[in-house]
Each structure stands twice: as C-alpha cells, then as structure tokens.
Amino acid sequence: MADHEKIERIKKQYYFADPSFSQLMKKRINKVLLLCSNYDAFMLEEDGRIDEQIFNEYVSLNLRYPPQFIQVSSAEEAFSVLKNDHIDLIINMLSVHDMDPFELSKKLKFDNPHIPIVVLTPFSREVSIKLDTIDSAIIDYVFCWLGNADLLLAIIKLVEDTMNVESDVENVGVQTILLVEDSIRFYSSYLPNIYKIIFNQSKEFMQEGLNEHKKMLRMRGRPKILLATNYEEALKLYIKYKHNLLGIISDIAYQRQGKMDKKAGIRLAEKIKADYRLMPILLQSSDVENEEIAKSDLEVGYLNKNSKTLSLELRNFIIKYFAFGDFVFEDPETLEEIDRASDLQSLQQKLFQIPDKTLHYHIKRNHFSKWLNARALFPLAQLFKQLTYEDFEDLDEVRRFLFDTIASFRRTKGRGVIAEFYRERFDEYLIFTRIGEGSIGGKARGLAFVDLLLKDYNIMDKYPGIVITIPRTVVLTTDVFDEFMEENNLYDFALSNQQDEDILNVFINARLPFRIHEDLLTFISVIKNPIAVRSSSLLEDSHYQPFAGIYSTYMIPKIEGNERVMIEMLSHAIKSVYASVYYNSSKAYMEATHNVIDEEKMAVVLQEVTGYAHGNRFYPTFSGVARSLNFYPIAPEKSEDGIANIALGLGKHIVDGGVALRFSPKHPERIIQLATPQSALRETQKNFYALSLQKDSFKPSTNDAVNLLKLRIEEADKDGVLRKISSVYDLQNNMLREGTYIDGKRVLTFSSILKHKKFPLADILNDVLNIGTKAMSNPIEIEFAVCLDNPDDKPDIFSFLQIRPIVEHQEADVTTIGELEKEEVIIFSDSALGNGSIEGLYDIVYIKPDVFDAAKTPVMVEMVEAINKEFIEKKENYILVGPGRWGSSDPWLGIPVKWPQISAARLIVESGLKDYRIDPSQGTHFFQNLTSFHVGYFTINPFLDDGYYDIEFLQQQKAVFENEYVRHIRFEKPLQIKIDGKTNRGVVYKPGLTGK
C-alpha cells in the first residue's frame, strides 16, 4: 500500500534544500612549516621549490588555495618562525644534534599545542620501536616518506578533513570514507591513492555545477577521509558518521582493547554488517587465510596486501562499491552491465529504459542514494534514502517518482544561478544561462535577480496549479558585442551621422562571432516557443538611471525542422538589436543623459516568449506592468498600494501606452474604468498585439514591431482566449455579464480574475512587488505575462519578464502649496508627480487645444521635435503641454513622441479636452524614463474640474514660434513651478508670482 502522506512529508523536507557548498571547508591549511635539512629539501623537491610542486598538484586536480611552505633547517629557525608567523601545520623530518624528529616535535608541541604536528620519517625498524614508546598526544600523525610528493598533498587534506568533517557532515551532509590501518607504511601509501581517486571523482561531479564558480564550490563537497589506527577509534568513527559513510577500508590485524588482535578487522566487519547489511567493506591482509572469511563468511571485499596490483584493485573497489564513476545498471541475476549513466541528466533519461528487475535490484540496495551522495547531490540522495520500495504502489510509481523528483531537483538547482552555456548539457531544465565572459547588462541582471528572489522566497509553487517563473533565457554577454564590433570594423561607421536604415543594413551584412554559432543552434533546438531578442545594455535598468524602452526588441517565430531559417532570423535579430545602439534616437538619449555612446556596451537577451500558438499567431492570455508606487491613488487606495495595468496579448500594447485595465493589487475589485457599462465600453481594450508565426513575416527593420499583428479583440474570441478575462455587454438590460457564454459585445473586464480570483493575480502581484521592493531597497516596476488554460493539463503560468527600479528623487526641502487663486496660476494639478521646486524656466510649448486633431498627431511630433532640438543646442529647458498621453504609440490616444524628441522638457503636462479624456500614462517605458530624470509631470482635465489650465492667458502672450498646431511662448521673468510630493499637487505660477 503506497504511503503517499509519508512521500509528501519527506519531499517537503528535502525537495528544495540547496547545499551550501560555500559553507564547507571553512578551516584550511594556509601555511606549513617544513622542518628538514637542506639535503632533505633538495631530495624532496628536486628543483628546490616545494611550493611550486604542490601548487602544480593542486592545479592538476582542480583544487584551490594551495598552502605556502616555509622551509627551515634548524630548531632555532623553527621556533623563530612560529613566534613571528601564523602557522597552521608543522611537518617535521629533521634530526638535529642527536635529537630525533620525535623529540624535536615534543618540544614544538609543548610551545604550540594548537598546531597539528606531522612527523615524516623514512620507514625503519628503529622508527617502529620508537613509535611504541612515544606518547601519541605529542604527535598527531606519523607518515612514512617514500619519496612521493603526493604524500604531502594527502597529509594536508587529511588534516583539513579532520578539522572540518564534523561541521561539514552535520550542516550539509558531506560523505565520509573510513580507513582503518595501523601500518604507517601502508596508510602512507594508501592515502595518496585514495585522495587521487576522490579528487578525480570530484572533478567528475563538479560538472553538475552550472558555472565555473559553482563547479569549484561543488568540489568542497567531496568525501572526507577518516583515519583510525585501532578498533575503538574505528568503531567510534563508524557510530558517529554511519549515516554519512560511503564505505570502509580496513586492515584485519590491529589493536583492540589495548592488545594486538589478529582478527580485529573481521570483528569490526561483523559488527557493522549486523548494524547495516549493505555497508561496503573492503578488508585487506597479508594473511591469505583471511580471504575465505572475508568473501564467503562476511560477503565483503578482500585485498591481499602483497598483491603487485594492490593500488589498481583498491581503485576498482572504491569506484564500484563506493558509487564513484558512472552509475552502472546491472542485471540482478548475472550482474552484467545493461546500461550506464554518467551524470544526473543521463540517469533521469535511463530510468524509463531499464527493465523492472534492474530497477527493483538497485532500489532495494539503495544504490541511487549512494551514487547521488558520492556526487555531492545530498538533498536528492537523502530524499531517496528515506523512502523504500514498500512506500510505493508498484514499480511504475517508483519510476515516475524518481524521474519527476530528479526533474524538479534539476529545475530548482538552476534557479537563481547565472549558468555557463555548455552546449553539450543545455536542456529544458536550465532557466538562465550566459554565452561569453563579459557583463550580462542591466536588463538581464534584473531578470537573474528575479530568478534568485523566486527561489529564495520559495514562491515558484506557492499557488496550487500555478508556476511563477521567468522565461528560459540565454544572454549573449558584452564581450560578444565587442568582438562583433571589432571584427567587422563597425565603430567608425556606427558613430557617424548615418541614417538609421543605413546603420541597420551595415550591421545585418556583418558577421556574428563564429564561436557562438553552435551555441545558438543548441538553443533553438531546445526551446519550443518563439524567441524574444531583447537589449540588455550596461545602462539599462540601472538603479540610478534606467534606460527603459530605448533600444529595440524583436520577436522571431519558432520554425520547426528548419534550423537554417531559424539561425538566419535569430542572427538578424541580434544584429538589429546591436544596431539600435547607434540609431539617432539612442544618440540623442545619450546626449540628454550626459552619457558617452562609445562607452555603451550591449548584451542581448534571448528569451522564450510566454504564450501559445493560435493558428498563425502567438500571444499570452494577457500581459501586464505593475509598480509598487501608485502616483495617482484614489481613496481608499494609497500610493504604496501600487498600481497594475493588464491587457490581452503581448505587452507591447501596454508599454506603448495603449488602453489597458488599471487596478491596485491591494484593491483589485475597485476599477474606475468599469464604474458604469458605458465607461467600460468606452475605456477598455479594443485591440491587442500578437506575433505572426509566418516565417517570412520577420525582416530586418528599424521598426522592431515589423512582424507583430495588431488585431481586434474579436480575433482572440475566435481563438477561445477570452473565456476567463471577458464580460459581455447585455444591451437589453444595460449591464455587463461575466463570461462569454452569451452573444453580445465583448468587454475585457478581467472580472473572474480580479473579483472572483479564479486566477490569484492580485495576490501574486502583491507578493512579487513586496519582495522586489524589499530586495532592491527601492520602489520597482515589473513586466509580466500570464498563460491560462494551458494544454495537456499543464499549470497556469505567471511569467516574470523584467524588473527595474523606479528612481525617486526626493528634495531635501519639503515643498508645500497653500491656497491658490486662479489669477495667480497658469496650470494647477491634483495629480502631479515629483517633489520640490523647478526654477529657471522661461518657456512654454503647447499644442493648441482649439485646433487639436487626433489624426494629425504624427505631424505634431515633427514640430515638437524641431523645437526640442533648439533647446538642446542652447542647453535650456521648457514646459511642454499637450492633450492625451505624451509618448503613446497610438496617435489617437496622444502625441506619439519618443523620449529623445522631448528630452529638454523639465515639466510635462497631459491635458484632457472636452471630448478627449485619456487616463494618465502610468506603466509605460516612456513614463519610467520621465520619472527617472526627475521631470515634473502633471495630469489635468479642466473640463471635468480636474485641475486648471489658463489657456486664455497663454494665447495673450507673444509667440516665439507658432504654426497651425503648436505654439511656443517665452516670458521675460522665470516661471515658478512647485510640486508637493506628499499631496501630489503641482502648480505653475504666472511670471513674477510665487504664491502666498
């Protein structure tokens, strides 16, 4: 009978535990005092540099922190060094003035009781006699010097293991190997061999690390060696570490109860076998009579100490029975190899390929757990160890459990890690990888940080049936960009005053570094969805100066079975993003922000697009932008409650300023746009963006939306997407009905999600905004996409696309605005963003409201851009006023400028007209940049008694420039501007007036 309750309990205990390899091996041998004669030193190292020999040994085994050796040739020198330097280990092989190393070590130990002392001595009869009389407390270890420098490495590692084993086993679950041997000659030979085997094993399992840093850290999880020289020591170590013991190597004849016992090893093996039948034990003896007892009676391994192939036999036993090397699947009847797995990935893949009897054989003997422990995969090993075959219904359930658990472990292991892209091991479980050694840029850094937060706060699976994640991401680092620019000699052309189209064409005809070609092929072979190719420059999404939406983002469809077309599209998209660094708008932005464009470096994010295909178009159920600060709260909402905008389809609709549904995650049921059926019909989304899946839809273009489709929401209804996000307008009863089960006009109210929580969007947003704000110590803005009703009963997906700080600039002085008289002010707003005073402005540029025509907004952009250019040249600033949303990509919602076209404005005003009321621009890239540069920002609508705008006063002033749509006036005295950040009130006083 399956014990599912036990399985779930144990899974929760071990499932997502992350071994803290950085906490291992905290105590190290950094300085070694080596006492030997000059002749011994020469013999020891041949060329006179012991440091170099040990260093080379460390490097060859991928070890770090080689110790420094201080060699002295007299007792006086030794005591002087110990007095003036911090020594971690003393190795003594010096005989001076009729004083052997043991007598000298006794004096050294008396003065330095905390320092381990090792005596290194040639093996001789005299030494053996001396050892029988010496106090063992004086000397920590005695080794026989056989002329092999490997012994020095083994000595250092044995001492380090002794210092660290207790905490490393207890805190992380590191495994151990027990060596029981009283013969100095034998353990002096064995230890270097065993350590070599262990180090080679750790070089194998370090490949489970996802980057070089993680690989090196994993090596700290190698097994520790425990050395015992008598029965009581061995039994004590076994009892203490038996739950973390890979196996035991034991001599047979050694002391027990203070006397030599020729069967001590056999007695130890019997006691351990009675306690744990499956514990691997290797007995060794020079007495051949013991072989029959070991193999037949005890069923343990046996080695003849006189064998000429002793080292090879020892290595083979350790690899097979201590679970080193590959996992070998065996036929339980013949013990012949059926298959093998070299790493966790291949083990997972083989589980459904091996016969039932083989799986049953390995489970019964706990082989999976032992193999995982030997590879420092402790959480998974402990989980498997706690469960037995009897806890499951049948072998099929066991097989599925093993497969799913390894999959979850691998998926979790990759979370919060910027992994190196190893094409031979790249698969669907790697969520964030990098190609190259340079910087990953601001946008990618933010995404990697989000991945870490999701793991650290354990919210990936917090909500049942929902996965909170980031999309699978690969980053081409900035050194790939540098290589591309230099190999193709592009800098001079790119930095010249060329047209954007010419720059793009030259970049498209250039060649990407050849070294990334195979990596890109691997990437496109693993991903299943279209690819978003996004900029991630050094300056983007920085804490102090976000560059939001300045560079291009392209999307390319996934074309199954046609790698050539995919690689060509992907290459063109990458080069198009590189080219966008040097477009004229980017250069203007750099100039406005006082950055130098040739210092900008571009990384590129390749990201699997969240969504599903519907015929020849691809899009998520909905996308959104959320901010932890709401600059326009309406009671009972508070500024710190945050604000979110969501819309059907791709997020371009929102970031470009399209009509979206706005709500506070703390008050999701209060939506002003849905106050009446009429406002809902008027002020909700009518169009959405989807990606065309036609392979010829993507062409290199300065317009990064070249292959995006702008569709009516009725098209999504045909795709069956509106079921959970739409209501229907009931004309007969003048009301909105939830769902799409009746005929009528579809209205995107998201009611089932926001009111009835059929998807807990508000709760998820509250979680991620709170966590992100806390972690960044700053208000934040996030972008996300959501997929509902996923096929094959897969969970719903909340995909975290981006995070960036909202850069606030609070002035030291507190600005307050008292009572206002209309005759004193030109503009007043109750929805003002910013804080403090803006001084030194003489100019106002405004769109004339009486002749405004939404159809002519593209023409107005050119006029405003020309005026802005003059202000930049004069290094002056101005106030900009216009109807609707500044920066909207939809000309029917406002003036579709980009930031560089109005970059000299210090105050921007969005003004409604009588028949032209548009919600303010929260949640767009444009808006993010305005706040980042501390530009004052007013929203007014005088026709609804929301703020004040004295247009008559402006019309009476003499114009510096005027045409059909735009007017520029300049005052002789400076305008005074005040913004009260606490009350969100803002005012522009008439020249010479500063308020009461």
Side-chain angles (χ1 to χ4, degrees):
M1 186 74 176
D3 191 345
H4 293 120
E5 187 177 327
K6 176 183 176 183
I7 293 170
E8 287 303 314
R9 185 180 70 252
I10 292 174
K11 273 172 64 175
K12 287 179 181 177
Q13 184 179 351
Y14 294 104
Y15 220 35
F16 299 111
D18 187 21
S20 300
F21 291 108
S22 60
Q23 300 300 310
L24 298 176
M25 298 292 290
K26 284 192 168 183
K27 298 175 182 176
R28 292 188 176 277
I29 301 300
N30 296 307
K31 285 190 178 180
V32 179
L33 179 62
L34 177 64
L35 286 80
C36 63
S37 69
N38 291 332
Y39 177 74
D40 285 334
F42 179 79
M43 293 299 292
L44 184 70
E45 46 191 299
E46 295 181 352
D47 63 351
R49 286 294 305 278
I50 192 67
D51 299 67
E52 191 170 309
Q53 194 164 351
I54 290 294
F55 176 80
N56 290 336
E57 191 67 26
Y58 267 64
V59 169
S60 71
L61 294 169
N62 278 75
L63 301 174
R64 290 189 175 184
Y65 313 109
Q68 175 188 349
F69 281 80
I70 300 174
Q71 189 256 318
V72 296
S73 55
S74 70
E76 292 76 18
E77 287 180 277
F79 283 108
S80 175
V81 170
L82 287 166
K83 184 178 179 180
N84 298 307
D85 211 336
H86 179 80
I87 298 298
D88 302 300
L89 172 65
I90 300 170
I91 298 178
N92 183 17
M93 55 187 302
L94 184 67
S95 298
V96 292
H97 306 299
D98 299 325
M99 186 189 301
D100 64 24
F102 298 99
E103 290 298 319
L104 178 56
S105 296
K106 184 176 180 180
K107 291 182 177 296
L108 291 169
K109 193 72 171 182
F110 182 80
D111 288 346
N112 304 275
H114 61 286
I115 303 178
I117 294 183
V118 174
V119 170
L120 201 59
T121 176
F123 183 73
S124 66
R125 183 172 177 274
E126 290 75 14
V127 169
S128 299
I129 295 171
K130 187 74 176 179
L131 284 172
D132 291 336
T133 61
I134 194 118
D135 183 359
S136 60
I138 293 173
I139 298 169
D140 295 270
Y141 298 101
V142 179
F143 284 92
C144 176
W145 176 242
L146 303 173
N148 184 0
D150 289 348
L151 179 60
L152 290 174
L153 177 64
I155 290 170
I156 292 165
K157 289 303 169 186
L158 180 67
V159 174
E160 286 184 342
D161 283 358
T162 304
M163 294 189 299
N164 291 287
V165 62
E166 190 167 348
S167 71
D168 287 3
V169 167
E170 183 179 338
N171 295 331
V172 177
V174 165
Q175 300 297 290
T176 59
I177 294 172
L178 176 57
L179 173 62
V180 190
E181 178 62 74
D182 65 340
S183 166
I184 295 172
R185 185 171 70 85
F186 268 101
Y187 71 61
S188 295
S189 173
Y190 267 41
L191 278 172
N193 280 336
I194 296 173
Y195 272 113
K196 271 285 179 67
I197 295 167
I198 288 175
F199 293 144
N200 286 327
Q201 164 74 357
S202 60
K203 282 166 69 175
E204 289 295 318
F205 72 61
M206 72 182 281
Q207 301 306 317
E208 298 284 354
L210 299 177
N211 54 40
E212 290 304 313
H213 177 63
K214 292 288 183 182
K215 284 182 177 183
M216 297 311 299
L217 283 180
R218 289 190 65 80
M219 290 197 70
R220 299 187 190 181
R222 66 166 177 79
K224 302 277 192 291
I225 294 182
L226 309 170
L227 176 62
T229 58
N230 60 55
Y231 181 89
E232 285 73 27
E233 280 182 13
L235 191 58
K236 183 179 178 181
L237 288 171
Y238 168 74
I239 292 170
K240 186 172 185 177
Y241 296 111
K242 65 180 180 179
H243 297 299
N244 295 80
L245 198 60
L246 290 176
I248 298 163
I249 303 168
S250 177
D251 191 13
I252 291 180
Y254 45 81
Q255 286 200 347
R256 186 174 73 91
Q257 297 178 348
K259 296 179 182 178
M260 177 58 67
D261 182 349
K262 292 186 177 182
K263 300 295 182 182
I266 292 173
R267 299 183 202 281
L268 180 68
E270 287 173 339
K271 190 169 186 65
I272 292 171
K273 280 285 184 178
D275 182 50
Y276 182 32
R277 186 177 60 84
L278 296 176
M279 176 63 69
I281 298 176
L282 174 65
L283 293 179
Q284 31 163 357
S285 173
S286 52
D287 186 348
V288 294
E289 293 180 1
N290 288 318
E291 182 173 1
E292 182 70 18
I293 299 172
K295 289 183 176 180
S296 300
D297 298 351
L298 296 174
E299 297 182 339
V300 299
Y302 176 82
L303 287 184
N304 188 329
K305 281 189 173 183
N306 297 321
S307 171
K308 293 180 180 178
T309 57
L310 182 65
S311 295
L312 180 61
E313 292 175 59
L314 174 66
R315 176 183 175 276
N316 291 340
F317 184 89
I318 289 175
I319 288 175
K320 181 172 183 178
Y321 292 101
F322 291 7
F324 284 21
D326 294 347
F327 188 97
V328 178
F329 295 99
E330 294 179 341
D331 184 308
E333 296 165 4
T334 65
L335 297 184
E336 291 180 356
E337 178 181 330
I338 293 174
D339 206 340
R340 64 174 54 219
S342 60
D343 54 22
L344 193 58
Q345 178 180 350
S346 58
L347 180 71
Q348 181 188 359
Q349 292 169 347
K350 305 284 186 184
L351 285 172
F352 280 97
Q353 300 172 13
I354 58 173
D356 285 354
K357 62 180 181 180
T358 295
L359 179 63
H360 186 265
Y361 170 77
H362 290 300
I363 290 170
K364 279 288 190 179
R365 285 157 181 76
N366 210 20
H367 289 168
F368 291 119
S369 176
K370 183 174 282 290
W371 186 78
L372 293 166
N373 266 324
R375 301 180 72 81
L377 296 165
F378 306 127
L380 207 52
Q382 290 302 309
L383 171 58
F384 288 174
K385 189 175 183 179
Q386 295 294 321
L387 296 168
T388 65
Y389 173 74
E390 286 71 25
D391 293 320
F392 297 90
E393 200 76 52
D394 51 31
L395 271 175
D396 284 341
E397 188 179 13
V398 174
R399 210 184 291 266
R400 284 195 304 273
F401 173 80
L402 293 174
F403 184 92
D404 292 344
T405 305
I406 293 173
S408 294
F409 179 84
R410 291 178 60 207
R411 195 177 294 115
T412 303
K413 185 182 72 167
R415 291 290 183 174
V417 177
I418 302 175
E420 299 289 341
F421 189 98
Y422 301 114
R423 68 178 75 108
E424 64 278 2
R425 293 197 303 279
F426 182 74
D427 60 22
E428 69 272 19
Y429 296 104
L430 287 172
I431 202 79
F432 195 107
T433 50
R434 61 186 289 160
I435 298 173
E437 300 299 322
S439 170
I440 62 173
K443 193 177 293 181
R445 197 179 303 115
L447 201 61
F449 184 62
V450 165
D451 193 34
L452 179 63
L453 291 181
L454 294 179
K455 180 179 182 179
D456 285 351
Y457 285 88
N458 199 21
I459 65 170
M460 292 179 292
D461 301 300
K462 177 179 177 179
Y463 298 93
I466 300 167
V467 173
I468 301 173
T469 184
I470 65 168
R472 184 172 296 108
T473 300
V474 172
V475 183
L476 301 180
T477 58
T478 54
D479 60 315
V480 178
F481 171 77
D482 290 338
E483 196 174 325
F484 170 75
M485 295 295 293
E486 290 165 7
E487 285 184 355
N488 295 285
N489 297 314
L490 292 173
Y491 279 113
D492 288 342
F493 184 84
L495 293 168
S496 63
N497 294 321
Q498 300 291 329
Q499 294 298 311
D500 292 352
E501 289 77 9
D502 296 331
I503 291 173
L504 176 62
N505 289 334
V506 168
F507 273 62
I508 290 297
N509 289 321
R511 180 174 177 169
L512 289 173
F514 184 75
R515 66 184 173 97
I516 70 169
H517 182 77
E518 290 296 324
D519 293 338
L520 296 180
L521 274 173
T522 302
F523 174 63
I524 63 175
S525 71
V526 169
I527 58 102
K528 297 176 175 61
N529 289 354
I531 304 169
V533 183
R534 314 175 72 190
S535 63
S536 181
S537 78
L538 294 183
L539 296 175
E540 278 185 289
D541 296 354
S542 72
H543 246 69
Y544 306 104
Q545 189 169 270
F547 274 39
I550 296 303
Y551 305 125
S552 298
T553 293
Y554 295 87
M555 291 186 183
I556 63 170
K558 168 74 172 178
I559 308 297
E560 294 291 350
N562 199 329
E563 288 184 348
R564 186 187 62 79
V565 171
M566 280 293 296
I567 278 290
E568 183 176 281
M569 285 194 297
L570 184 57
S571 299
H572 284 170
I574 293 167
K575 289 183 280 189
S576 298
V577 171
Y578 285 162
S580 71
V581 177
Y582 301 100
Y583 288 168
N584 288 313
S585 59
S586 303
K587 291 171 181 171
Y589 193 93
M590 284 286 184
E591 188 175 340
T593 56
H594 307 293
N595 284 287
V596 182
I597 194 165
D598 58 1
E599 292 181 356
E600 175 70 301
K601 304 288 186 184
M602 179 63 74
V604 170
V605 173
L606 310 179
Q607 198 171 62
E608 198 166 14
V609 180
T610 300
Y612 284 98
H614 303 278
N616 281 324
R617 51 194 182 222
F618 187 98
Y619 57 96
T621 309
F622 62 92
S623 300
V625 175
R627 301 163 66 92
S628 60
L629 276 183
N630 180 3
F631 295 112
Y632 306 100
I634 300 172
E637 297 171 9
K638 299 176 183 177
S639 178
E640 59 271 22
D641 289 343
I643 189 73
N645 290 260
I646 54 176
L648 164 69
L650 296 171
K652 180 177 174 61
H653 181 86
I654 297 174
V655 297
D656 282 0
V659 174
L661 202 72
R662 298 175 60 228
F663 66 96
S664 167
K666 291 284 178 65
H667 307 275
E669 71 288 344
R670 294 186 72 258
I671 303 172
I672 302 300
Q673 292 156 273
L674 306 180
T676 67
Q678 283 66 37
S679 62
L681 288 167
R682 185 177 64 248
E683 298 177 22
T684 53
Q685 184 180 1
K686 306 296 186 298
N687 305 291
F688 73 101
Y689 281 100
L691 172 68
S692 171
L693 296 180
Q694 300 284 2
K695 67 179 181 181
D696 56 354
S697 62
F698 174 77
K699 297 179 177 63
S701 171
T702 55
N703 173 19
D704 57 5
V706 61
N707 59 336
L708 298 188
L709 306 170
K710 189 172 184 180
L711 306 166
R712 300 286 296 174
I713 65 169
E714 288 77 14
E715 295 299 312
D717 195 21
K718 295 176 186 176
D719 296 334
V721 176
L722 301 188
R723 190 170 58 86
K724 287 187 178 179
I725 64 174
S726 175
S727 298
V728 176
Y729 176 61
D730 182 345
L731 177 62
Q732 187 174 355
N733 296 295
N734 189 31
M735 64 182 297
L736 294 173
R737 297 188 181 276
E738 293 178 16
T740 57
Y741 59 91
I742 62 171
D743 292 334
K745 186 173 181 58
R746 278 23 179 177
V747 182
L748 297 187
T749 62
F750 293 86
S751 180
S752 68
I753 291 172
L754 299 179
K755 283 188 178 181
H756 304 295
K757 295 190 176 181
K758 290 185 178 177
F759 179 85
L761 178 63
D763 294 337
I764 293 173
L765 291 178
N766 281 322
D767 277 347
V768 296
L769 289 175
N770 290 337
I771 289 168
T773 298
K774 180 180 178 182
M776 279 193 154
S777 300
N778 227 80
I780 61 165
E781 178 175 270
I782 65 169
E783 295 180 25
F784 59 91
V786 173
C787 281
L788 306 178
D789 298 326
N790 295 327
D792 304 323
D793 295 323
K794 291 182 179 177
D796 292 336
I797 297 173
F798 179 95
S799 198
F800 217 136
L801 304 180
Q802 200 168 334
I803 187 172
R804 53 179 164 265
I806 298 171
V807 182
E808 284 196 301
H809 181 68
Q810 299 294 342
E811 302 292 343
D813 62 311
V814 178
T815 300
T816 57
I817 299 171
E819 289 188 26
L820 296 171
E821 300 291 341
K822 282 190 175 182
E823 60 269 16
E824 292 180 332
V825 304
I826 302 173
I827 302 170
F828 170 72
S829 173
D830 284 312
S831 299
L833 170 61
N835 188 64
S837 299
I838 301 175
E839 299 178 350
L841 301 188
Y842 293 82
D843 300 82
I844 295 180
V845 176
Y846 65 97
I847 305 297
K848 296 194 286 189
D850 54 332
V851 295
F852 176 77
D853 181 354
K856 302 295 184 182
T857 52
V859 179
M860 299 173 199
V861 171
E862 298 176 11
M863 300 171 183
V864 172
E865 182 180 19
I867 295 171
N868 188 74
K869 210 172 265 186
E870 293 178 11
F871 278 98
I872 290 175
E873 291 171 359
K874 293 188 292 184
K875 296 184 178 178
E876 294 178 353
N877 301 103
Y878 63 100
I879 298 170
L880 179 62
V881 186
R885 294 182 178 175
W886 285 103
S888 170
S889 64
D890 186 344
W892 296 96
L893 298 179
I895 316 293
V897 292
K898 294 188 180 298
W899 161 248
Q901 295 169 316
I902 58 169
S903 57
R906 283 296 311 281
L907 172 63
I908 293 176
V909 181
E910 291 187 344
S911 170
L913 298 175
K914 189 173 184 180
D915 299 314
Y916 199 77
R917 183 182 183 277
I918 303 296
D919 286 331
S921 307
Q922 288 201 66
T924 67
H925 282 158
F926 181 85
F927 188 72
Q928 167 71 3
N929 285 316
L930 293 176
T931 60
S932 302
F933 297 115
H934 322 308
V935 175
Y937 198 75
F938 292 3
T939 301
I940 60 174
N941 199 324
F943 297 94
L944 299 175
D945 291 325
D946 180 11
Y948 175 71
Y949 177 20
D950 194 343
I951 189 66
E952 292 181 7
F953 173 77
L954 294 180
Q955 288 173 341
Q956 292 168 7
Q957 309 305 313
K958 184 179 177 182
V960 175
F961 167 83
E962 182 175 8
N963 64 18
E964 185 179 358
Y965 300 111
V966 181
R967 199 160 189 265
H968 171 198
I969 58 176
R970 182 176 179 85
F971 297 96
E972 292 183 3
K973 294 182 179 180
L975 297 159
Q976 179 68 35
I977 303 164
K978 288 187 177 182
I979 306 173
D980 183 343
K982 289 188 176 180
T983 64
N984 298 114
R985 300 172 79 214
V987 62
V988 179
Y989 292 98
K990 289 177 180 175
L993 299 174
T994 58
K996 296 179 181 178

